[in-house]
């Protein structure tokens, strides 16, 4: 990550691409027990958080990602009540999940409490639901949490983690998916941020393969824009414990009782449409 006192650039050596934002000032930097956390005030995207040099969340465009990590999977479940969020330390996904009145319990398990404490200061709008009586925020390794959880504990698991390196690497493994499968109840669904369809097809192919090997009977990738992430084109992949992912509760989505800025039933339908290259590369799985 480079800083020439007016521009902040996240360069991805692996993909030979970079993303830059004009900045006003650096607001904070620290090395937590798990990762380096930086926060900047930008000229046009509000505040921005980086973890280990990777863009995480910006004031301006986080709504797309947080809405797509929560509403499609909830409207795809027939009767969701108990949600587990792994990661999600900036609390934007938690806020979206809690907009659904039928949700009765949300456990948010992030390994690094410092991410949440800094989000409370620099992204307070994302943390506005943190004191909801249905929410419980705990700061533990999500891999350990799922390993220790009882079978049939959750209806939905949302894996809103950093990239598959460092503390998040194990969240992209067959072993972890197998534990998630055990911990999900009947009709259980898992959704995981699944990187860029343009830049990271290898990760996406492996993810679908490992989810299948972990006994999930179906998996489906959703596509959506995310400006601050590499290539600006992102995805999230849903895996289903025992129902085929053909549709979602369209009527409930059309008549949702809460506001959104990006998600609606049309966006949900569109996000499920698969590009030809993607179909071809997954056809052998
Ligand atoms: N939207 C971001 C993205 O797609 O890269 C992710 C946002 S959130 C800040 C990512 C969170 O994952 C971080 O707060 C980090 O602490 C957390 N995390 C990484 N590995 C973890 C693990 N093993 N268990 C729980 N949380 C983890």
């Amino acid at each position: 990550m480079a800083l020439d006192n007016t521009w902040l650039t996240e360069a991805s050596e692996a993909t030979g691409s970079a993303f830059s934002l004009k900045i006003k000032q650096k607001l904070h930097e620290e090395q937590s027990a798990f990762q380096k956390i930086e926060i900047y005030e930008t000229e046009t995207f509000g505040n921005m958080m980086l973890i280990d040099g990777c863009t995480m969340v910006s004031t301006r465009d986080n709504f797309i990602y947080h809405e797509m990590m929560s509403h499609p999977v909830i409207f795809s479940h027939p009767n969701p009540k108990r949600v587990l969020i792994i990661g999600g330390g900036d609390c934007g996904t938690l806020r979206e999940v809690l907009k659904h009145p039928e949700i009765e319990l949300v456990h948010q398990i992030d390994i690094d409490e410092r991410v949440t404490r800094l989000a409370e200061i620099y992204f307070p709008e994302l943390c506005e639901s943190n004191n909801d009586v249905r929410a419980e925020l705990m700061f533990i390794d999500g891999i350990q949490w799922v390993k220790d959880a009882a079978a049939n504990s959750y209806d939905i698991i949302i894996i809103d983690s950093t990239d598959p390196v460092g503390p998040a690497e194990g969240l992209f493994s067959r072993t972890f998916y197998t534990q998630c499968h055990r911990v999900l109840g009947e009709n259980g669904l898992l959704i995981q941020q699944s990187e860029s369809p343009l830049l990271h097809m290898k990760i996406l192919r492996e993810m679908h393969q490992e989810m299948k090997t972990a006994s999930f009977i179906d998996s489906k990738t959703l596509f959506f824009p995310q400006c601050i992430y590499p290539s600006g084109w992102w995805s999230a992949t849903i895996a289903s414990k025992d129902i085929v992912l053909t549709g979602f509760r369209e009527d409930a989505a059309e008549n949702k009782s809460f506001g959104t800025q990006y998600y609606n039933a049309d966006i949900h339908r569109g996000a499920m449409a698969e590009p030809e290259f993607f179909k071809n590369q997954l056809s052998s799985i």
Side-chain angles (χ1 to χ4, degrees):
M1 188 273 300
L3 182 60
D4 72 356
N5 73 44
T6 55
W7 287 86
L8 170 70
T9 295
E10 179 204 359
S12 163
E13 289 304 324
T15 62
S17 63
F19 174 77
S20 298
L21 278 179
K22 197 159 189 186
I23 60 152
K24 285 183 180 172
Q25 59 175 324
K26 174 180 266 189
L27 296 170
H28 184 82
E29 176 180 328
E30 72 177 71
Q31 180 63 45
S32 78
F34 301 96
Q35 44 213 351
K36 181 180 179 184
I37 308 168
E38 297 168 270
I39 299 174
Y40 294 86
E41 180 187 4
T42 72
E43 289 280 356
T44 58
F45 271 59
N47 287 348
M48 176 143 88
M49 178 190 288
L50 293 93
I51 291 183
D52 288 340
C54 296
T55 56
M56 281 295 121
V57 57
S58 86
T59 307
R60 184 171 184 182
D61 76 338
N62 74 77
F63 67 95
I64 302 173
Y65 174 87
H66 290 132
E67 291 180 19
M68 291 307 287
M69 284 296 290
S70 46
H71 304 310
V73 70
I74 291 175
F75 283 124
S76 296
H77 191 287
N79 183 26
K81 296 189 183 306
R82 307 162 299 166
V83 177
L84 170 64
I85 299 172
I86 303 288
D90 54 50
C91 301
T93 299
L94 175 67
R95 181 189 68 174
E96 293 305 312
V97 168
L98 289 167
K99 285 181 179 177
H100 293 257
E102 71 275 23
I103 298 298
E104 296 174 355
L105 166 143
V106 187
H107 287 162
Q108 178 166 293
I109 307 296
D110 198 298
I111 199 167
D112 194 344
E113 181 168 3
R114 292 301 300 149
V115 175
T116 297
R117 296 303 166 234
L118 290 169
E120 289 166 345
I121 298 167
Y122 297 105
F123 300 91
E125 71 281 8
L126 299 185
C127 301
E128 63 189 15
S129 303
N130 285 13
N131 296 321
D132 187 304
V133 292
R134 296 170 291 168
E136 194 171 350
L137 282 69
M138 291 163 272
F139 301 99
I140 305 160
D141 185 338
I143 296 167
Q144 192 60 46
W145 180 265
V146 170
K147 197 182 289 180
D148 295 344
N152 184 24
S153 294
Y154 300 103
D155 302 308
I156 290 173
I157 298 176
I158 299 175
I159 309 167
D160 177 8
S161 78
T162 41
D163 300 330
V165 290
E169 189 172 3
L171 301 176
F172 292 74
S173 71
R174 177 187 315 178
T175 308
F176 179 67
Y177 297 146
T178 303
Q179 289 294 343
C180 289
H181 188 277
R182 176 185 63 79
V183 160
L184 281 167
E186 187 183 7
N187 302 324
L189 299 176
L190 171 151
I191 188 168
Q192 179 164 32
Q193 76 86 359
S194 44
E195 307 284 314
S196 167
L198 189 67
L199 304 176
H200 304 120
M201 266 314 293
K202 183 173 179 298
I203 292 173
L204 269 156
R205 278 179 52 83
E206 288 169 0
M207 182 180 284
H208 280 270
Q209 183 61 64
E210 295 300 78
M211 286 171 169
K212 186 175 181 180
T213 310
S215 305
F216 284 95
I217 69 155
D218 199 4
S219 56
K220 185 89 181 141
T221 292
L222 306 175
F223 304 86
F224 51 89
Q226 187 56 41
C227 317
I228 66 168
Y229 292 165
S231 85
W233 188 27
W234 216 246
S235 71
T237 296
I238 298 179
S240 173
K241 180 166 183 167
D242 47 30
I243 49 176
V244 177
L245 293 166
T246 48
F248 61 101
R249 290 184 286 123
E250 297 196 48
D251 190 49
E254 299 278 8
N255 299 293
K256 58 185 171 61
S257 59
F258 51 84
T260 51
Q261 297 180 70
Y262 184 76
Y263 178 86
N264 58 42
D266 290 334
I267 285 286
H268 189 149
R269 281 184 280 268
M272 291 172 72
E274 294 181 341
E276 277 307 289
F277 78 88
F278 187 86
K279 283 181 181 177
N280 296 338
Q281 290 205 34
L282 260 65
S283 59
S284 56
I285 290 178

PDB file of all heavy atoms in Angstrom, residues 36-53:
ATOM      1  N   LYS A  36      -2.690  -5.368  11.082  1.00  0.00           N
ATOM      2  CA  LYS A  36      -2.446  -3.915  11.048  1.00  0.00           C
ATOM      3  C   LYS A  36      -3.732  -3.239  10.583  1.00  0.00           C
ATOM      4  O   LYS A  36      -4.306  -3.643   9.554  1.00  0.00           O
ATOM      5  CB  LYS A  36      -1.305  -3.594  10.079  1.00  0.00           C
ATOM      6  CG  LYS A  36      -0.980  -2.109   9.997  1.00  0.00           C
ATOM      7  CD  LYS A  36       0.157  -1.857   9.014  1.00  0.00           C
ATOM      8  CE  LYS A  36       0.494  -0.377   8.885  1.00  0.00           C
ATOM      9  NZ  LYS A  36       1.544  -0.146   7.861  1.00  0.00           N
ATOM     10  N   ILE A  37      -4.183  -2.243  11.337  1.00  0.00           N
ATOM     11  CA  ILE A  37      -5.433  -1.556  11.004  1.00  0.00           C
ATOM     12  C   ILE A  37      -5.125  -0.086  10.751  1.00  0.00           C
ATOM     13  O   ILE A  37      -4.457   0.558  11.567  1.00  0.00           O
ATOM     14  CB  ILE A  37      -6.459  -1.671  12.149  1.00  0.00           C
ATOM     15  CG1 ILE A  37      -6.649  -3.138  12.563  1.00  0.00           C
ATOM     16  CG2 ILE A  37      -7.801  -1.066  11.714  1.00  0.00           C
ATOM     17  CD1 ILE A  37      -7.429  -3.319  13.873  1.00  0.00           C
ATOM     18  N   GLU A  38      -5.540   0.419   9.598  1.00  0.00           N
ATOM     19  CA  GLU A  38      -5.339   1.839   9.254  1.00  0.00           C
ATOM     20  C   GLU A  38      -6.678   2.455   8.874  1.00  0.00           C
ATOM     21  O   GLU A  38      -7.531   1.771   8.276  1.00  0.00           O
ATOM     22  CB  GLU A  38      -4.403   1.955   8.048  1.00  0.00           C
ATOM     23  CG  GLU A  38      -3.006   1.430   8.271  1.00  0.00           C
ATOM     24  CD  GLU A  38      -2.274   1.312   6.954  1.00  0.00           C
ATOM     25  OE1 GLU A  38      -2.365   0.239   6.330  1.00  0.00           O
ATOM     26  OE2 GLU A  38      -1.632   2.305   6.540  1.00  0.00           O
ATOM     27  N   ILE A  39      -6.827   3.718   9.226  1.00  0.00           N
ATOM     28  CA  ILE A  39      -8.056   4.428   8.866  1.00  0.00           C
ATOM     29  C   ILE A  39      -7.694   5.804   8.313  1.00  0.00           C
ATOM     30  O   ILE A  39      -6.872   6.521   8.894  1.00  0.00           O
ATOM     31  CB  ILE A  39      -9.012   4.538  10.072  1.00  0.00           C
ATOM     32  CG1 ILE A  39      -9.396   3.118  10.517  1.00  0.00           C
ATOM     33  CG2 ILE A  39     -10.270   5.333   9.688  1.00  0.00           C
ATOM     34  CD1 ILE A  39     -10.209   3.010  11.756  1.00  0.00           C
ATOM     35  N   TYR A  40      -8.277   6.137   7.173  1.00  0.00           N
ATOM     36  CA  TYR A  40      -8.009   7.415   6.491  1.00  0.00           C
ATOM     37  C   TYR A  40      -9.313   8.171   6.277  1.00  0.00           C
ATOM     38  O   TYR A  40     -10.379   7.566   6.132  1.00  0.00           O
ATOM     39  CB  TYR A  40      -7.372   7.156   5.118  1.00  0.00           C
ATOM     40  CG  TYR A  40      -6.003   6.533   5.180  1.00  0.00           C
ATOM     41  CD1 TYR A  40      -5.853   5.153   5.268  1.00  0.00           C
ATOM     42  CD2 TYR A  40      -4.854   7.328   5.182  1.00  0.00           C
ATOM     43  CE1 TYR A  40      -4.598   4.571   5.355  1.00  0.00           C
ATOM     44  CE2 TYR A  40      -3.595   6.751   5.249  1.00  0.00           C
ATOM     45  CZ  TYR A  40      -3.470   5.372   5.342  1.00  0.00           C
ATOM     46  OH  TYR A  40      -2.223   4.806   5.418  1.00  0.00           O
ATOM     47  N   GLU A  41      -9.168   9.499   6.225  1.00  0.00           N
ATOM     48  CA  GLU A  41     -10.280  10.322   5.737  1.00  0.00           C
ATOM     49  C   GLU A  41      -9.988  10.606   4.268  1.00  0.00           C
ATOM     50  O   GLU A  41      -8.899  11.096   3.953  1.00  0.00           O
ATOM     51  CB  GLU A  41     -10.378  11.637   6.523  1.00  0.00           C
ATOM     52  CG  GLU A  41     -11.517  12.523   6.037  1.00  0.00           C
ATOM     53  CD  GLU A  41     -11.522  13.905   6.677  1.00  0.00           C
ATOM     54  OE1 GLU A  41     -10.578  14.214   7.449  1.00  0.00           O
ATOM     55  OE2 GLU A  41     -12.457  14.683   6.399  1.00  0.00           O
ATOM     56  N   THR A  42     -10.925  10.249   3.380  1.00  0.00           N
ATOM     57  CA  THR A  42     -10.675  10.442   1.945  1.00  0.00           C
ATOM     58  C   THR A  42     -11.425  11.692   1.443  1.00  0.00           C
ATOM     59  O   THR A  42     -12.315  12.199   2.129  1.00  0.00           O
ATOM     60  CB  THR A  42     -11.170   9.223   1.124  1.00  0.00           C
ATOM     61  OG1 THR A  42     -12.600   9.234   1.111  1.00  0.00           O
ATOM     62  CG2 THR A  42     -10.649   7.925   1.728  1.00  0.00           C
ATOM     63  N   GLU A  43     -11.073  12.112   0.238  1.00  0.00           N
ATOM     64  CA  GLU A  43     -11.718  13.308  -0.336  1.00  0.00           C
ATOM     65  C   GLU A  43     -13.177  13.044  -0.703  1.00  0.00           C
ATOM     66  O   GLU A  43     -14.046  13.866  -0.502  1.00  0.00           O
ATOM     67  CB  GLU A  43     -10.975  13.730  -1.625  1.00  0.00           C
ATOM     68  CG  GLU A  43      -9.592  14.327  -1.400  1.00  0.00           C
ATOM     69  CD  GLU A  43      -9.669  15.809  -0.989  1.00  0.00           C
ATOM     70  OE1 GLU A  43     -10.791  16.360  -0.960  1.00  0.00           O
ATOM     71  OE2 GLU A  43      -8.616  16.387  -0.670  1.00  0.00           O
ATOM     72  N   THR A  44     -13.431  11.848  -1.269  1.00  0.00           N
ATOM     73  CA  THR A  44     -14.780  11.626  -1.834  1.00  0.00           C
ATOM     74  C   THR A  44     -15.475  10.351  -1.345  1.00  0.00           C
ATOM     75  O   THR A  44     -16.622  10.114  -1.680  1.00  0.00           O
ATOM     76  CB  THR A  44     -14.674  11.510  -3.378  1.00  0.00           C
ATOM     77  OG1 THR A  44     -13.771  10.427  -3.677  1.00  0.00           O
ATOM     78  CG2 THR A  44     -14.152  12.802  -3.997  1.00  0.00           C
ATOM     79  N   PHE A  45     -14.762   9.473  -0.586  1.00  0.00           N
ATOM     80  CA  PHE A  45     -15.393   8.222  -0.139  1.00  0.00           C
ATOM     81  C   PHE A  45     -15.615   8.173   1.367  1.00  0.00           C
ATOM     82  O   PHE A  45     -15.809   7.097   1.935  1.00  0.00           O
ATOM     83  CB  PHE A  45     -14.537   7.020  -0.584  1.00  0.00           C
ATOM     84  CG  PHE A  45     -14.906   6.487  -1.966  1.00  0.00           C
ATOM     85  CD1 PHE A  45     -14.830   7.301  -3.079  1.00  0.00           C
ATOM     86  CD2 PHE A  45     -15.338   5.172  -2.144  1.00  0.00           C
ATOM     87  CE1 PHE A  45     -15.167   6.834  -4.346  1.00  0.00           C
ATOM     88  CE2 PHE A  45     -15.671   4.691  -3.398  1.00  0.00           C
ATOM     89  CZ  PHE A  45     -15.591   5.531  -4.511  1.00  0.00           C
ATOM     90  N   GLY A  46     -15.512   9.354   2.025  1.00  0.00           N
ATOM     91  CA  GLY A  46     -15.672   9.348   3.482  1.00  0.00           C
ATOM     92  C   GLY A  46     -14.463   8.703   4.137  1.00  0.00           C
ATOM     93  O   GLY A  46     -13.341   8.802   3.640  1.00  0.00           O
ATOM     94  N   ASN A  47     -14.701   7.984   5.243  1.00  0.00           N
ATOM     95  CA  ASN A  47     -13.596   7.288   5.911  1.00  0.00           C
ATOM     96  C   ASN A  47     -13.358   5.947   5.221  1.00  0.00           C
ATOM     97  O   ASN A  47     -14.278   5.355   4.654  1.00  0.00           O
ATOM     98  CB  ASN A  47     -13.912   7.076   7.393  1.00  0.00           C
ATOM     99  CG  ASN A  47     -13.822   8.384   8.172  1.00  0.00           C
ATOM    100  OD1 ASN A  47     -13.313   9.395   7.661  1.00  0.00           O
ATOM    101  ND2 ASN A  47     -14.316   8.381   9.402  1.00  0.00           N
ATOM    102  N   MET A  48     -12.127   5.458   5.315  1.00  0.00           N
ATOM    103  CA  MET A  48     -11.801   4.140   4.764  1.00  0.00           C
ATOM    104  C   MET A  48     -10.902   3.393   5.735  1.00  0.00           C
ATOM    105  O   MET A  48      -9.949   3.954   6.268  1.00  0.00           O
ATOM    106  CB  MET A  48     -11.092   4.231   3.429  1.00  0.00           C
ATOM    107  CG  MET A  48     -10.703   2.814   2.974  1.00  0.00           C
ATOM    108  SD  MET A  48     -10.839   2.579   1.274  1.00  0.00           S
ATOM    109  CE  MET A  48      -9.194   3.126   0.862  1.00  0.00           C
ATOM    110  N   MET A  49     -11.223   2.104   5.945  1.00  0.00           N
ATOM    111  CA  MET A  49     -10.410   1.227   6.794  1.00  0.00           C
ATOM    112  C   MET A  49      -9.653   0.239   5.914  1.00  0.00           C
ATOM    113  O   MET A  49     -10.212  -0.305   4.964  1.00  0.00           O
ATOM    114  CB  MET A  49     -11.298   0.436   7.774  1.00  0.00           C
ATOM    115  CG  MET A  49     -10.519  -0.548   8.655  1.00  0.00           C
ATOM    116  SD  MET A  49     -11.582  -1.679   9.595  1.00  0.00           S
ATOM    117  CE  MET A  49     -12.268  -0.559  10.830  1.00  0.00           C
ATOM    118  N   LEU A  50      -8.372   0.038   6.240  1.00  0.00           N
ATOM    119  CA  LEU A  50      -7.590  -1.034   5.622  1.00  0.00           C
ATOM    120  C   LEU A  50      -7.143  -1.985   6.709  1.00  0.00           C
ATOM    121  O   LEU A  50      -6.836  -1.551   7.832  1.00  0.00           O
ATOM    122  CB  LEU A  50      -6.356  -0.489   4.902  1.00  0.00           C
ATOM    123  CG  LEU A  50      -6.615   0.384   3.666  1.00  0.00           C
ATOM    124  CD1 LEU A  50      -6.648   1.838   4.074  1.00  0.00           C
ATOM    125  CD2 LEU A  50      -5.549   0.185   2.608  1.00  0.00           C
ATOM    126  N   ILE A  51      -7.078  -3.275   6.393  1.00  0.00           N
ATOM    127  CA  ILE A  51      -6.512  -4.276   7.299  1.00  0.00           C
ATOM    128  C   ILE A  51      -5.384  -4.975   6.547  1.00  0.00           C
ATOM    129  O   ILE A  51      -5.580  -5.460   5.426  1.00  0.00           O
ATOM    130  CB  ILE A  51      -7.573  -5.295   7.760  1.00  0.00           C
ATOM    131  CG1 ILE A  51      -8.598  -4.622   8.698  1.00  0.00           C
ATOM    132  CG2 ILE A  51      -6.911  -6.478   8.457  1.00  0.00           C
ATOM    133  CD1 ILE A  51      -9.647  -5.569   9.268  1.00  0.00           C
ATOM    134  N   ASP A  52      -4.201  -4.952   7.154  1.00  0.00           N
ATOM    135  CA  ASP A  52      -3.003  -5.504   6.512  1.00  0.00           C
ATOM    136  C   ASP A  52      -2.858  -4.995   5.083  1.00  0.00           C
ATOM    137  O   ASP A  52      -2.543  -5.757   4.157  1.00  0.00           O
ATOM    138  CB  ASP A  52      -3.038  -7.040   6.548  1.00  0.00           C
ATOM    139  CG  ASP A  52      -2.789  -7.580   7.969  1.00  0.00           C
ATOM    140  OD1 ASP A  52      -2.227  -6.827   8.813  1.00  0.00           O
ATOM    141  OD2 ASP A  52      -3.180  -8.738   8.228  1.00  0.00           O
ATOM    142  N   GLY A  53      -3.146  -3.705   4.889  1.00  0.00           N
ATOM    143  CA  GLY A  53      -2.944  -3.050   3.602  1.00  0.00           C
ATOM    144  C   GLY A  53      -4.051  -3.277   2.598  1.00  0.00           C
ATOM    145  O   GLY A  53      -3.999  -2.741   1.489  1.00  0.00           O
TER     146      GLY A  53
END
